[in-house]
Amino acid sequence: MSRWSQLILCLMVVIAVMPSWVNAQGSLENSFTTDDGYLSFDFPRGWFPFEVRGGGGAVIVDTSTTLDAEILNPGSILITILGPRYLNSFYRDTGQELADYFAGVQTTFVTRSSNDYQFGEVAAIEINGQPTLMAAGTGTQGDLLLLVIESPTGRIVEFGIYAAGEADLHDPTILDIAATIVYTGPPVAQFVPTPDAASLFAENIVWQVVQPKDNSNAAGTELDVVADMVVDATETTLYVAGGTGGVMAFDVDGNVQGVLPAPLVEGQAANIVAIAIAADGSLWVADAQNYRLHHLDTNGTVLQTVGQSVTGTVNGEAGVFDGLGPRQLRIGPDGNLYVINYDTGRVSRVMIFDATGVFLREFDLAVLESSTGQDRFTIGPDGNLYFAVDKVTQSRIVVMDTTGQVVSEIALEEGDGGAPVEGALVVLEDGSFWATDSYHGILYHYAADGTILSAFGQGQRTNLTAPFGPGEFSRTTPDGLHGLVVLANGDLIVGDMNSFYAQLVRIRLDE
């Protein structure tokens, strides 16, 4: 495989059809629109565009030999255009200043390609009246021009790669194409159910916010990823772990308060997959991208970064994140941080740090005998660790003390789809607990002995990529129903997502 093909695959771009191409550079006589209808542009006659896998962008090539060349042939060019829908998975727009966003795109581009590009000075221009930043880059296999356009409906990235020394030949075409790019974007969907909504569950919904995951805007206030959630002690602010989008802050009425940007480690944005709140109101987040824990104040300022990543270890080095890295995080009544480091091919570990981030000790989770190895956990009011273990024979809650010794096991009564607890878990003061079944899209309230006290919701029945209706949750996905908090009055706030939409829902139940 050529280095160009490696780069494209690295950017998740896959060719579906490979017809013959004609090398031609001239006026922009043809038009292309992505399948979702959001992104369109014009391109020269004889060139061939194809959509990136998953949608949201396109690649244009001018010759059939471009993708197979170790070094681009003279006159050849490869242009990539990425709309906000794709960019959210490449480098998330959280409302950074355009210059900061451009620098992040440059860093991400270099780290995800096989060519060590060196960029020159950044130039500020306008394209169709929109602020645009541009920089040329050089590398051993070719040169390139990188642009970021501040479109009203979301930032657009365009870059063209071509043979060394051919900027004068290709840059005008790249800029001409940029001037034709139009991104409409999906409409923001927001549902506020009323008691007469056509749903069995509508009367229990206090509020519901549903938004497309692929939307992006300069304010950076779009709900995209819901990996975990926590509410502060006064139940004023709900913090949502939003992956590379940082931490989104809402009030408990569903209104956006702001965004805490994802911390950077050597230019690489954090992938925030878990969040916990300390006694002083500050936040700790788990960064699965950089194998770190970050300590943040409520303004998003990084107070401290803890941890290090070592790859290639055989048995795991004490206190060092490896494998899949830190994936779950909770703070106990003792103030210590309890972090699960997942691994592939090796037993996962609970790593314990004190309130200042100093590593104390760890223990493995071999005793769980889990069928997935990635079971959800929480810390109860009693200070013990509760693991929701999804096992084919019998789903159960395993309770451990802080040294890793099993205190008890609770067999779970089966609900409508069995009892696979794969989403989130909250233990209450009375010993009962709420758990989410992300495989079937149901919330369960269990008594302390594992019997079901109540259940709420249903999984999406037909289109699993559609917006959520009242009382509808994702199903058959390990990524859904990962957010759950229980307020003092008994209300639930649930965070959920399917492939295309994310939602927050506040539920009031009369049990």
Side-chain angles (χ1 to χ4, degrees):
M1 179 182 295
S2 74
R3 293 176 188 247
W4 302 114
S5 298
Q6 292 171 6
L7 169 60
I8 292 173
L9 288 172
C10 214
L11 295 177
M12 301 296 289
V13 177
V14 177
I15 299 173
V17 181
M18 292 288 290
S20 60
W21 291 289
V22 178
N23 189 3
Q25 183 142 358
S27 60
L28 310 183
E29 300 178 9
N30 295 328
S31 298
F32 178 80
T33 301
T34 53
D35 288 342
D36 58 19
Y38 301 151
L39 178 68
S40 62
F41 54 86
D42 297 338
F43 62 95
R45 178 177 57 84
W47 291 20
F48 185 81
F50 52 89
E51 191 161 353
V52 301
R53 186 171 69 188
V59 172
I60 318 168
V61 290
D62 70 325
T63 170
S64 59
T65 61
T66 297
L67 295 178
D68 296 323
E70 286 290 333
I71 298 177
L72 280 177
N73 295 325
S76 296
I77 186 171
L78 180 150
I79 297 175
T80 300
I81 300 171
L82 302 175
R85 175 179 176 182
Y86 182 86
L87 287 171
N88 279 342
S89 64
F90 178 71
Y91 182 73
R92 174 71 170 160
D93 175 8
T94 61
Q96 312 98 312
E97 293 293 331
L98 184 59
D100 294 333
Y101 183 79
F102 188 85
V105 169
Q106 285 179 300
T107 300
T108 306
F109 180 89
V110 171
T111 58
R112 296 180 70 171
S113 72
S114 60
N115 194 353
D116 185 18
Y117 284 102
Q118 302 296 319
F119 285 95
E121 183 177 351
V122 178
I125 61 173
E126 284 192 357
I127 292 180
N128 292 335
Q130 302 303 321
T132 301
L133 295 182
M134 175 178 68
T138 61
T140 55
Q141 292 123 31
D143 294 348
L144 84 156
L145 184 69
L146 173 66
L147 295 85
V148 175
I149 305 167
E150 187 76 281
S151 164
T153 52
R155 288 167 173 166
I156 306 291
V157 167
E158 179 187 12
F159 61 88
I161 304 172
Y162 42 78
E166 293 192 343
D168 290 343
L169 173 63
H170 296 293
D171 286 359
T173 303
I174 296 172
L175 292 169
D176 286 346
I177 292 174
T180 71
I181 297 174
V182 175
Y183 180 78
T184 58
V188 173
Q190 182 165 328
F191 300 89
V192 182
T194 59
D196 60 352
S199 168
L200 296 173
F201 306 103
E203 64 182 13
N204 300 108
I205 304 298
V206 180
W207 52 259
Q208 179 181 25
V209 175
V210 183
Q211 293 182 339
K213 291 175 61 178
D214 59 4
N215 205 17
S216 173
N217 62 21
T221 56
E222 297 302 327
L223 185 67
D224 186 77
V225 171
V226 183
D228 194 13
M229 297 191 324
V230 66
V231 69
D232 66 0
T234 63
E235 297 191 348
T236 301
T237 305
L238 177 76
Y239 295 100
V240 177
T244 56
V247 176
M248 288 197 66
F250 294 80
D251 64 24
V252 293
D253 293 319
N255 302 305
V256 175
Q257 301 292 293
V259 179
L260 312 184
L264 299 178
V265 176
E266 298 178 352
Q268 182 68 53
N271 179 14
I272 298 176
V273 296
I275 187 168
I277 190 163
D280 64 359
S282 61
L283 303 170
W284 282 91
V285 297
D287 175 3
Q289 172 64 42
N290 299 297
Y291 292 71
R292 301 289 194 276
L293 305 178
H294 303 287
H295 190 193
L296 313 176
D297 67 15
T298 53
N299 295 315
T301 301
V302 178
L303 305 174
Q304 185 182 5
T305 293
V306 175
Q308 58 179 321
S309 170
V310 174
T311 59
T313 54
V314 177
N315 297 311
E317 183 178 341
V320 175
F321 297 123
D322 59 7
L324 299 180
R327 294 289 170 145
Q328 292 190 59
L329 165 66
R330 292 292 179 262
I331 297 177
D334 55 9
N336 290 338
L337 284 66
Y338 294 81
V339 186
I340 295 186
N341 182 95
Y342 286 141
D343 202 357
T344 53
R346 186 165 69 243
V347 174
S348 298
R349 298 173 284 159
V350 174
M351 301 166 63
I352 305 169
F353 300 79
D354 71 14
T356 67
V358 175
F359 175 72
L360 300 176
R361 62 186 185 278
E362 65 180 40
F363 57 85
D364 69 44
L365 295 174
V367 69
L368 295 184
E369 297 181 343
S370 167
S371 62
T372 66
Q374 299 191 23
D375 307 286
R376 306 300 290 181
F377 98 111
T378 193
I379 298 179
D382 58 5
N384 287 324
L385 281 62
Y386 288 71
F387 295 86
V389 182
D390 176 28
K391 193 173 182 181
V392 175
T393 54
Q394 176 67 66
S395 293
R396 66 201 195 281
I397 301 294
V398 177
V399 185
M400 291 184 180
D401 63 22
T402 56
T403 68
Q405 299 300 307
V406 175
V407 175
S408 63
E409 295 195 17
I410 306 168
L412 299 182
E413 179 184 350
E414 291 193 358
D416 288 345
V421 179
E422 297 180 341
L425 178 67
V426 175
V427 180
L428 306 182
E429 290 285 350
D430 63 2
S432 68
F433 48 93
W434 279 94
T436 65
D437 173 1
S438 66
Y439 193 82
H440 298 96
I442 303 174
L443 316 178
Y444 288 105
H445 187 192
Y446 290 94
D449 64 359
T451 57
I452 296 174
L453 298 174
S454 64
F456 180 82
Q458 67 180 20
Q460 290 183 294
R461 299 305 192 200
T462 54
N463 186 353
L464 304 186
T465 63
F468 299 97
E472 272 194 332
F473 302 107
S474 62
R475 66 179 177 90
T476 67
T477 170
D479 297 321
L481 284 172
H482 277 190
L484 177 64
V485 299
V486 182
L487 302 180
N489 69 351
D491 284 7
L492 309 177
I493 301 181
V494 181
D496 185 26
M497 57 186 181
N498 60 24
S499 298
F500 291 99
Y501 291 87
Q503 69 169 337
L504 295 179
V505 190
R506 181 166 175 173
I507 303 164
R508 179 166 296 147
L509 299 175
D510 182 12
E511 296 186 297

